[in-house]
Amino acid sequence: MELLVVMILTVIIIGLASLSYSIVYTQFLQYKNKSAKVNQVFLLHSVLQSDFGKAAEVNSKSAAEIVCSNNNTDEQISYSLENSYIIRQQSGKSDTFRIGVQDISFYLNGLEKRDGLIDELSFTGIVFDETQRFHFTKQYGADKLMQLEKSIHS
């Protein structure tokens, strides 16, 4: 009789321990997945802001592609903004950010553009089935703005 009680208590304790482990493990996996997605959003924002700031020129090549050029090193960094991801290419290496993209807009001096030199990029990112607006700006020097004015008026 005593052995039966001990066995029943052991089964209950082991069952509770197994159930609590399963719950904790599931919560940990959910946290890990959310954390990875949040880190990806922060990394995208950080590198895109940095590339915009360091580039000598930012050009849109199509409705969903931009190129950040650096005159000093002839290095180009391109971004392809697709429906379900963003690809960053630099020196033959690609990074993929699994963030959905909608409503892409390019601007120069406040006017919307499709291709050519831009100073603003704006798009809606889809993160955790929610939309988040991304907006990046580029400040050009006076020499670049004067060169742009000359090319418009000539």
Side-chain angles (χ1 to χ4, degrees):
M1 181 67 154
E2 295 167 356
L3 185 62
L4 184 61
V5 170
V6 169
M7 287 177 63
I8 291 173
L9 287 175
T10 303
V11 167
I12 292 171
I13 291 171
I14 290 174
L16 288 174
S18 175
L19 180 64
S20 62
Y21 172 77
S22 174
I23 291 170
V24 168
Y25 184 72
T26 302
Q27 290 294 325
F28 173 73
L29 285 180
Q30 288 175 351
Y31 170 77
K32 184 178 173 185
N33 290 337
K34 275 190 176 183
S35 176
K37 190 75 161 181
V38 168
N39 284 340
Q40 203 169 68
V41 170
F42 282 127
L43 181 61
L44 171 67
H45 191 273
S46 175
V47 294
L48 198 48
Q49 187 74 32
S50 174
D51 292 343
F52 249 72
K54 291 179 182 176
E57 284 187 2
V58 179
N59 291 287
S60 63
K61 286 196 158 191
S62 67
E65 186 176 357
I66 63 167
V67 176
C68 301
S69 304
N70 191 338
N71 291 342
N72 298 336
T73 61
D74 291 332
E75 182 178 47
Q76 291 188 340
I77 303 170
S78 68
Y79 287 87
S80 296
L81 306 157
E82 303 296 333
N83 288 338
S84 57
Y85 55 87
I86 297 170
I87 297 176
R88 176 183 187 263
Q89 292 182 325
Q90 177 183 16
S91 303
K93 297 178 184 171
S94 297
D95 294 320
T96 303
F97 299 94
R98 304 234 179 266
I99 297 169
V101 178
Q102 296 176 340
D103 305 326
I104 304 166
S105 301
F106 304 117
Y107 300 93
L108 180 63
N109 295 330
L111 301 173
E112 193 164 359
K113 288 192 71 172
R114 277 286 167 221
D115 58 1
L117 189 70
I118 62 170
D119 62 2
E120 286 183 59
L121 165 65
S122 183
F123 64 89
T124 301
I126 302 169
V127 182
F128 299 118
D129 296 327
E130 295 180 11
T131 59
Q132 179 178 351
R133 196 72 183 156
F134 290 86
H135 188 83
F136 303 93
T137 59
K138 169 72 181 151
Q139 295 287 330
Y140 289 110
D143 58 336
K144 191 68 168 171
L145 294 175
M146 290 175 62
Q147 182 183 9
L148 180 64
E149 281 293 320
K150 285 180 183 177
S151 68
I152 291 173
H153 293 298
S154 45

